[in-house]
Amino acid sequence: MLNIFPPFTSLPLDPDGPPGNAWGLFGANDELGMLNLLTPAVVTAAAQEIKSGVRVSLDWPLDKPLHPSYGRAPFQHEIRRRGENGRPVNDDIISFNTQSSSQWDGFRHYGYLKEKRYFNGRTNEDIQGSRVLGVDSFWADNGGIIGRGVLLDYLDYAERNSIAVDPFTSYCIPVDHLKCLVDEQGITIYPGDILFLRTGYTAAYNALSILEREAIPQRPTANFIGVESTIDVLRWLWENKFSAVASDSQAFESSPVGGPEVNPDTVLHQWLLGGWGMPIGEQFDLERLAEHCKETGRYSFFLSSVPLKTIGQAFSNHTKQRTTKPRSRQPKKDEFGSRSRSLRPGAVDPTPLQPKIPTELLKLRILLGNSDLQGVLEAYPKLLKAKQLDSEDTVEICRLLHYGQRSNGKLMSPTAIAEHVKEAVDHYQRRRLPPDPDASLHLISYFKESNQYDEGIEFWHWIVRQDNNYLDLRTYGAALELLALYGQPLAYCEEVYSHGLKRFPESFNEYHLSPGAIVSQLDQPTRIPKTSMGLLQGIIKARLIHGDWRNAYLALDTALRLHPTQMPSYFFHTFLEERPINEAYQIFCLLCHSGSQIKPYDVTWVLNDLVDGQKPGTGEDIDLDIALANLNAIHLYGASGRLLSARHLNILLQSSLMLLPIFGSDNSTYWAESLMDPVALVRQLFSIFIAMGVSPEISTYNTVIAAAGRVRHEGILAWAVNALSNSGIASNEITFECLLNATARTAGAAQVESTWTSRDPRMALMPSTWAALARATSCAGNSDFLRNQMKIYNVRDQKSTMRQVHAELAKSRRPDFSEPPVSLASDLNLACESRVAEFTSALNAFQKLLGGSDFGNLKKHPAVKQSIWPTSDVVDELWQKKLYEELSIDPTALAALEAEVTVNSEPPETNQDISTVESSTGFRLDELRYRNWKGVNELLEHAELFESRMEQAVDKAIEEGKPSKQVRSTKGISMRGPRQQLLRTQLMDHLADINRMKANPLTETDWRDKILRLRRVET
């Protein structure tokens, strides 16, 4: 069911219905709407969130609010005595409007006002006197709203970012803030999740006096905080596939719902309740939940919320409320080990009765909240003299300057930002801006990223002499990267690293961050406060820049041991920048298995490097290995809970199609067609796109059309053109250029002319378009047509166009397809047939896995590869486990454990009070730590092989008096030809080294000595 979810652009599903409707998505008679997403598999997965058994009620008292808005009746409670003569028996009689307290809006509550239609097109006549769309007959009968909840704490976000928020106004929460919160809180959103948003309304209401509470419903309009009612919010909710949404405010969206300031076409109540069947929860008490989430750093939980099962409804014809809203009964929250970036410390005071903020300071903080760089830089110097700024203001000013530099001139020119940074540093050093380590971090990062190394080093030398209000271990980490890029020797960087550890001795960082440190409980999270991943990141970067790969990997091993499920994304980016693709790929696999975050652009980098090392149509082992590695990467990234884009799947498509051979003039193939049907392969890959919730884009079709031309297959080309036509996606200039080339290679001169003359007349004829025509006519043997068209369009006077045309003609020639390529001239041998079958089998297994509810469980459904060419699989598992326990478990505890097993001849009892903790991908933490340890061993082996090749290449270059062409990473190589050649050479050399290693297996003693030497463990 989740795999057929249509894209937002396909709405409305019922073309005769109102805007945005999803009527019929789950059937014409469906009455559950988005609650259909709460399948047994989804609920089962949500139950895995239960770890500690901590429960939190989300119910606000029934008498809140004391005086409801919109003229609704207040809560009434009567205790009626049931006995005489003091008989101790009483009954409660309760009367309340279901708009009071915590509630779920049912599908009868609100529909499309203009069309007078409820969910799935139901009318007032349909629901009167029936149970149609009734909460009792469907929600309650189906077990209520049970699933995985996620909390977005907007009140905390607003206070951290100095955003002025008043819950009793129509404040609109922007969707960009919600997206930022998801990222900051480290939340992974899964289909069927139930979204909770804390705005601070209930806390603010609780803090009011009785008179203030009585005044609220007397206001001219019922203004309350909520999410903005925009198409962007609707798109975000739809694409995240929430089954329900809720908040602590009067309405999930800003109130009044559908007020004069709201676009009537994007009223959330209409779209969610009437259009999608998505329940809206209101006035939930999220205070204790928010406190617990912030304390634990975890913002996802198991939710149980069962509505009141009221049979029948109020049938008064004059009332708009045909059906009362279901009340939630004891929703509970349980702690879950989700990944989360730790938030800044500091108490959160939700009460609105705070000291009045000076007007100018309030304006500045609004400008900061809106990221108005120009406005902030004009406003804050005026407040310096009055000394009204606090350290958080300093942080936000420096953050905005830092991000302004990252915007590449969108917020302000780099020159102007440099001047303002200079001014801010002056204020900071003269104590006019209050200090904060985060402010120092942003300033150092600015100098590093803008290549202002001299200024950055000078600032660091000043910072390091200040007290600890100015810096922390993360500041040291940023400084280490700056120092290394500046060219400071590694020995100096190591001294700075040690200085930071000694300056901040809290939690014994010097021990815990050392390679030989032991984690006391391998199956539990490491709860060591103030361990700095930022410091480790800095020293890893410094070591990699200076070529100390061994100690860089040992620092990575330390980070994986301490926090196996919470590795920051920049760790991977650092290795991707500095190490060969095969090593970066293996780190990618390790982090995906742990469920750690990896940025989408880094995934694109990995996939592109792999496909650039691939050659089309060779049938060689290395190319099949690369295609499998790309498929494996897509599997791992998707299973780890990350959202894939069309760009990622386009690369998988490109990599898979590069396995196809070149076809003959009659579409005969020099490979066994039965092994890989080209058109069926393309169809299958498109099905995988859809199953992963990714809509193909024009670039996807361009990839297929270009591949059809490369392999000279008319069937692929015809399928791609037809599929593009049916998709409704507009083609572009690149599509036309690919089509010209593909037509020339598959159909000949006549079809090239037809393709050219039938193009869209509105299409601009760019130089690249004429170059494509030159290439196509040269391939088809029809240069006269090119000259004729250039004359008609007077192209000869366009110098840039002519340069490209002449360059294309100089290198183009008509290919000879009469004979197959040399590598394919003979029949496939059995080994090649086996490898092709291996890829198709892996693709089929992956597609089948996408339909399952436990796709994200990598322990149950492991990926095909842990690296491109693993080596640990040839080492006895018992050897590895024995050495791991020797190095990772406290010797005293290990001896005691072995003694107890010997005496009792039974496994020792475990501590029943400690729950087993699993990653989001299904691994226990002790399993994950062991996998990571083995992975780092492989990385050390692979790095040693690569460095040995590097040394040999350098020695040879010195001997020949030529510069060495060996580099560690493709970073900085922009020309595709040299980049592809480098990657191909690196991968082929590495594969040869791996094969030699596997051909000469080591004894246990030799293997053990090798690992101890690589890890620099003294024996």
Side-chain angles (χ1 to χ4, degrees):
M1 181 180 296
L2 300 182
N3 295 332
I4 61 171
F5 211 81
F8 183 77
T9 53
S10 64
L11 301 180
L13 296 186
D14 184 344
D16 298 325
N21 79 77
W23 296 349
L25 175 60
F26 300 103
N29 298 317
D30 173 59
E31 300 189 34
L32 280 177
M34 301 296 277
L35 294 178
N36 280 288
L37 298 179
L38 296 176
T39 63
V42 168
V43 176
T44 300
Q48 303 305 311
E49 311 269 343
I50 302 175
K51 304 297 180 185
S52 67
V54 174
R55 294 171 295 168
V56 177
S57 171
L58 305 184
D59 274 342
W60 209 23
L62 280 173
D63 62 348
K64 299 286 183 66
L66 183 62
H67 301 281
S69 299
Y70 304 103
R72 290 176 173 131
F75 171 82
Q76 296 180 14
H77 180 201
E78 175 188 353
I79 298 180
R80 182 168 297 179
R81 184 173 296 173
R82 295 288 295 165
E84 298 179 353
N85 301 321
R87 186 167 176 253
V89 178
N90 296 302
D91 282 353
D92 284 284
I93 299 178
I94 295 175
S95 172
F96 65 96
N97 185 292
T98 54
Q99 290 283 340
S100 298
S101 185
S102 309
Q103 64 202 255
W104 288 107
D105 281 358
F107 302 154
R108 288 184 167 194
H109 169 62
Y110 208 102
Y112 284 95
L113 302 186
K114 180 180 178 181
E115 292 80 2
K116 296 182 173 59
R117 289 291 186 274
Y118 296 96
F119 176 61
N120 251 356
R122 302 292 190 172
T123 65
N124 278 325
E125 290 71 23
D126 292 331
I127 65 175
Q128 284 186 350
S130 74
R131 298 178 68 186
V132 172
L133 296 184
V135 168
D136 60 306
S137 59
F138 281 89
W139 292 17
D141 284 354
N142 280 275
I145 301 177
I146 314 292
R148 178 178 183 260
V150 293
L151 174 71
L152 297 185
D153 193 345
Y154 187 73
L155 178 60
D156 181 66
Y157 174 86
E159 292 181 346
R160 285 187 290 106
N161 291 278
S162 302
I163 301 173
V165 171
D166 184 349
F168 303 108
T169 64
S170 298
Y171 178 88
C172 294
I173 299 174
V175 68
D176 288 344
H177 289 189
L178 300 181
K179 293 177 181 178
C180 186
L181 257 176
V182 171
D183 184 54
E184 285 191 4
Q185 294 179 183
I187 297 174
T188 298
I189 297 174
Y190 297 103
D193 279 357
I194 303 148
L195 173 66
F196 285 85
L197 176 66
R198 178 184 179 233
T199 67
Y201 165 78
T202 56
Y205 185 91
N206 290 339
L208 297 178
S209 66
I210 294 179
L211 292 178
E212 287 172 324
R213 295 179 185 182
E214 290 177 349
I216 289 177
Q218 308 302 322
R219 298 180 300 172
T221 56
N223 297 328
F224 298 102
I225 188 174
V227 174
E228 62 180 2
S229 294
T230 63
I231 199 71
D232 289 336
V233 166
L234 290 164
R235 181 189 302 275
W236 183 74
L237 294 174
W238 178 266
E239 291 179 346
N240 279 292
K241 304 181 181 68
F242 293 115
S243 59
V245 296
S247 81
D248 57 353
S249 190
Q250 283 269 354
F252 181 72
E253 63 202 283
S254 176
S255 298
V257 173
E261 303 299 323
V262 177
N263 183 344
D265 293 332
T266 58
V267 175
L268 297 195
H269 263 59
Q270 290 188 155
W271 281 58
L272 303 191
L273 296 175
W276 304 348
M278 179 184 287
I280 298 176
E282 298 164 349
Q283 299 182 123
F284 278 71
D285 186 357
L286 304 178
E287 294 310 297
R288 282 185 58 206
L289 174 63
E291 181 182 347
H292 185 72
C293 287
K294 186 169 185 178
E295 178 182 316
T296 60
R298 304 179 183 105
Y299 289 84
S300 57
F301 46 89
F302 178 81
L303 176 85
S304 172
S305 182
V306 182
L308 292 178
K309 195 168 184 178
T310 305
I311 306 299
Q313 311 296 338
F315 301 130
S316 174
N317 290 331
H318 63 269
T319 178
K320 295 181 180 178
Q321 218 176 325
R322 302 294 180 184
T323 302
T324 59
K325 299 184 184 181
R327 283 200 34 74
S328 62
R329 180 186 302 161
Q330 292 294 334
K332 301 178 180 66
K333 182 263 182 187
D334 184 90
E335 181 182 10
F336 169 65
S338 67
R339 302 167 302 285
S340 173
R341 183 175 72 85
S342 59
L343 302 178
R344 283 187 52 75
V348 177
D349 181 12
T351 174
L353 304 178
Q354 299 173 347
K356 184 176 178 60
I357 301 175
T359 302
E360 293 302 318
L361 180 58
L362 182 59
K363 288 180 180 178
L364 172 67
R365 290 177 177 173
I366 292 173
L367 292 170
L368 287 167
N370 294 332
S371 296
D372 185 344
L373 180 58
Q374 185 64 50
V376 167
L377 295 175
E378 292 174 358
Y380 95 84
K382 303 174 185 177
L383 298 169
L384 293 176
K385 189 174 182 180
K387 297 183 178 180
Q388 294 177 338
L389 300 179
D390 60 23
S391 61
E392 287 296 324
D393 296 321
T394 306
V395 171
E396 290 307 304
I397 291 167
C398 295
R399 177 191 64 82
L400 201 51
L401 287 167
H402 179 198
Y403 291 171
Q405 186 273 332
R406 287 183 174 179
S407 71
N408 296 320
K410 293 180 181 179
L411 295 180
M412 186 177 290
S413 72
T415 303
I417 289 178
E419 289 299 317
H420 287 295
V421 168
K422 183 177 179 181
E423 182 182 21
V425 168
D426 178 65
H427 293 150
Y428 201 52
Q429 293 178 332
R430 290 165 57 192
R431 310 304 199 262
R432 300 184 70 191
L433 279 172
D436 191 282
D438 278 357
S440 303
L441 179 67
H442 281 299
L443 290 172
I444 291 174
S445 299
Y446 164 80
F447 288 125
K448 177 190 69 176
E449 294 169 18
S450 61
N451 299 326
Q452 298 181 51
Y453 299 131
D454 289 329
E455 295 85 347
I457 295 297
E458 182 181 351
F459 179 67
W460 164 247
H461 287 160
W462 178 83
I463 281 286
V464 78
R465 296 194 301 270
Q466 310 308 308
D467 62 36
N468 291 354
N469 288 318
Y470 284 85
L471 75 172
D472 56 17
L473 287 176
R474 292 173 306 134
T475 320
Y476 270 85
L480 282 169
E481 292 191 44
L482 176 69
L483 291 166
L485 290 167
Y486 182 67
Q488 289 286 8
L490 180 59
Y492 179 79
C493 294
E494 295 286 359
E495 286 181 13
V496 172
Y497 176 70
S498 299
H499 184 268
L501 290 172
K502 289 180 171 59
R503 178 167 179 169
F504 295 95
E506 301 95 331
S507 304
F508 304 99
N509 273 297
E510 195 166 6
Y511 169 74
H512 290 298
L513 298 185
S514 65
I518 291 176
V519 174
S520 59
Q521 293 178 302
L522 293 171
D523 62 344
Q524 295 296 313
T526 307
R527 305 187 186 279
I528 305 171
K530 298 185 179 180
T531 53
S532 176
M533 291 295 99
L535 181 66
L536 272 181
Q537 156 70 13
I539 195 60
I540 285 174
K541 182 75 171 182
R543 289 168 179 171
L544 288 176
I545 287 175
H546 287 286
D548 186 5
W549 52 272
R550 192 190 312 269
N551 282 316
Y553 276 125
L554 291 179
L556 173 66
D557 185 60
T558 298
L560 289 168
R561 181 179 67 249
L562 288 173
H563 302 294
T565 63
Q566 298 178 5
M567 288 293 294
S569 59
Y570 51 70
F571 269 69
F572 173 64
H573 183 78
T574 299
F575 283 96
L576 185 58
E577 282 191 319
E578 304 295 340
R579 295 303 298 172
I581 180 60
N582 59 286
E583 295 176 32
Y585 180 83
Q586 183 161 1
I587 299 172
F588 169 85
C589 293
L590 286 176
L591 298 189
C592 284
H593 273 96
S594 72
S596 296
Q597 293 189 35
I598 298 177
K599 297 294 185 184
Y601 56 78
D602 282 338
V603 181
T604 304
W605 186 341
V606 169
L607 297 176
N608 270 330
D609 268 10
L610 286 174
V611 82
D612 279 348
Q614 199 173 359
K615 274 192 175 179
T618 67
E620 295 181 17
D621 270 356
I622 186 173
D623 297 306
L624 285 157
D625 285 333
I626 291 172
L628 280 169
N630 266 317
L631 175 62
N632 191 69
I634 295 294
H635 178 183
L636 286 170
Y637 195 67
S640 65
R642 307 293 171 244
L643 293 177
L644 287 154
S645 69
R647 177 179 299 178
H648 299 139
L649 290 175
N650 286 351
I651 301 173
L652 173 63
L653 181 66
Q654 181 183 357
S655 180
S656 303
L657 294 180
M658 288 179 79
L659 297 178
L660 296 176
I662 297 174
F663 292 78
S665 58
D666 59 350
N667 273 352
S668 63
T669 176
Y670 303 109
W671 276 19
E673 182 104 13
S674 60
L675 286 178
M676 188 176 290
D677 178 1
V679 178
L681 174 64
V682 174
R683 287 200 188 100
Q684 184 176 17
L685 290 165
F686 268 68
S687 297
I688 288 174
F689 270 64
I690 295 170
M692 299 198 78
V694 178
S695 299
E697 297 176 349
I698 187 57
S699 57
T700 313
Y701 293 97
N702 294 346
T703 300
V704 179
I705 293 171
R710 179 184 59 76
V711 302
R712 206 165 181 258
H713 197 286
E714 289 187 68
I716 298 177
L717 179 60
W719 185 91
V721 171
N722 183 61
L724 175 58
S725 176
N726 293 333
S727 71
I729 298 174
S731 60
N732 56 22
E733 289 80 2
I734 298 175
T735 313
F736 182 66
E737 293 167 14
C738 292
L739 191 58
L740 275 175
N741 183 60
T743 302
R745 294 175 63 87
T746 58
Q751 193 60 41
V752 169
E753 295 178 18
S754 174
T755 300
W756 176 266
T757 54
S758 62
R759 73 185 185 281
D760 187 342
R762 296 169 295 179
M763 180 187 295
L765 296 178
M766 309 297 291
S768 60
T769 313
W770 286 104
L773 180 62
R775 184 167 56 252
T777 53
S778 177
C779 178
N782 190 13
S783 298
D784 289 341
F785 181 75
L786 171 66
R787 286 190 290 270
N788 182 44
Q789 293 300 308
M790 291 174 66
K791 183 177 179 181
I792 292 173
Y793 288 93
N794 197 24
V795 174
R796 296 184 183 277
D797 295 335
Q798 301 173 16
K799 293 182 179 181
S800 61
T801 299
M802 291 306 297
R803 276 197 300 270
Q804 289 199 33
V805 168
H806 285 308
E808 195 61 53
L809 291 174
K811 66 182 180 182
S812 296
R813 63 182 180 86
R814 189 173 187 180
D816 181 10
F817 297 114
S818 60
E819 294 294 334
V822 175
S823 61
L824 301 177
S826 59
D827 293 336
L828 282 177
N829 56 46
L830 292 177
C832 188
E833 288 186 18
S834 173
R835 294 306 313 280
V836 174
E838 181 185 350
F839 177 79
T840 54
S841 175
L843 196 63
N844 293 335
F846 177 62
Q847 186 177 21
K848 183 179 180 181
L849 187 60
L850 287 174
S853 59
D854 50 1
F855 171 60
N857 191 324
L858 287 170
K859 181 180 179 181
K860 184 177 180 181
H861 301 291
V864 179
K865 290 173 172 286
Q866 311 308 316
S867 65
I868 304 177
W869 297 292
T871 53
S872 62
D873 57 349
V874 298
V875 180
D876 192 307
E877 188 70 20
L878 292 177
W879 301 356
Q880 299 185 73
K881 192 71 174 177
K882 179 180 176 182
L883 183 57
Y884 171 71
E885 290 178 348
E886 180 182 328
L887 298 179
S888 304
I889 300 178
D890 184 349
T892 305
L894 182 60
L897 178 64
E898 291 173 345
E900 186 173 348
V901 171
T902 302
V903 172
N904 297 331
S905 299
E906 294 181 0
E909 294 185 4
T910 57
N911 186 348
Q912 299 299 321
D913 293 332
I914 299 178
S915 302
T916 300
V917 179
E918 292 184 351
S919 70
S920 62
T921 51
F923 292 98
R924 298 196 317 267
L925 294 194
D926 55 338
E927 295 173 326
L928 206 54
R929 287 186 168 106
Y930 176 52
R931 289 175 63 90
N932 292 341
W933 180 82
K934 291 199 300 181
V936 171
N937 288 344
E938 271 198 24
L939 285 165
L940 288 166
E941 287 183 303
H942 293 185
E944 186 174 51
L945 289 172
F946 177 79
E947 295 299 327
S948 176
R949 291 200 307 271
M950 283 280 291
E951 289 179 11
Q952 293 172 15
V954 171
D955 291 342
K956 183 178 180 181
I958 293 173
E959 183 180 333
E960 296 176 351
K962 299 177 181 179
S964 173
K965 296 182 180 180
Q966 287 283 349
V967 295
R968 290 184 172 85
S969 171
T970 58
K971 182 183 70 171
I973 303 176
S974 57
M975 295 183 65
R976 192 172 186 193
R979 174 189 177 87
Q980 289 175 317
Q981 183 59 44
L982 169 68
L983 286 163
R984 182 77 176 183
T985 302
Q986 277 188 354
L987 290 169
M988 291 187 71
D989 289 346
H990 186 66
L991 177 58
D993 283 343
I994 293 296
N995 288 335
R996 280 192 291 271
M997 178 189 295
K998 289 185 175 181
N1000 298 283
L1002 300 175
T1003 64
E1004 179 180 5
T1005 301
D1006 290 340
W1007 174 82
R1008 171 191 169 89
D1009 290 345
K1010 179 181 180 180
I1011 297 301
L1012 293 177
R1013 173 179 58 79
L1014 288 170
R1015 286 181 168 270
R1016 290 181 170 165
V1017 177
E1018 295 183 3
T1019 58

